[in-house]
Amino acid sequence: MCPVYCVYFVAQIGLPYLQPTMLERIACLAVVASLHAVAYICGLLVIKRHEAGEPLLEDERDRAIDGRATRTAYFILLTGMIVVGMVMPFNNSGWELVNAALFFIVLTETARYALILIGYRQPRLAH
């Protein structure tokens, strides 16, 4: 998710003149979302192919790591949506709000997966 949207945000911030019309902005977002979907589906197929015939084993540690990461990511998303929905509309509108909301969604998912990876790397005996 992160690499595709990083390119999108660089194009939006660094080269805003490339998409002056609404149709061009929607097309750019659609291309990025389509690339994200294709990458996700390909990754899922690779994972499912390697898991063929193996039972899924998830224990308490896996659920605890996922729970901690999801809780932290939820607060990142909540903070971002408060900024986008309650603070930014007083000074900004249109694509600035859309891009800010999309940024916080990407940041939340990236943070969640990074926290899951960190959770598996550090020994932890309790919540």
Side-chain angles (χ1 to χ4, degrees), residues 76-91:
I76 293 170
L77 183 63
L78 183 64
T79 303
M81 291 304 112
I82 287 171
V83 169
V84 170
M86 298 176 75
V87 176
M88 284 183 70
F90 292 108
N91 298 322

Side-chain angles (χ1 to χ4, degrees), residues 18-26 95:
L18 289 180
Q19 299 134 8
T21 67
M22 176 74 151
L23 186 59
E24 289 171 345
R25 287 181 180 261
I26 294 285
W95 281 99

Side-chain angles (χ1 to χ4, degrees), residues 18-71:
L18 289 180
Q19 299 134 8
T21 67
M22 176 74 151
L23 186 59
E24 289 171 345
R25 287 181 180 261
I26 294 285
C28 179
L29 186 57
V31 166
V32 169
S34 298
L35 288 173
H36 173 225
V38 167
Y40 180 83
I41 291 170
C42 290
L44 185 64
L45 291 174
V46 167
I47 289 171
K48 291 299 178 184
R49 183 168 181 242
H50 288 292
E51 288 179 351
E54 294 181 19
L56 181 62
L57 301 174
E58 186 177 80
D59 62 3
E60 292 82 20
R61 180 173 180 256
D62 295 326
R63 287 189 286 275
I65 289 170
D66 185 55
R68 277 192 300 275
T70 301
R71 246 186 325 274

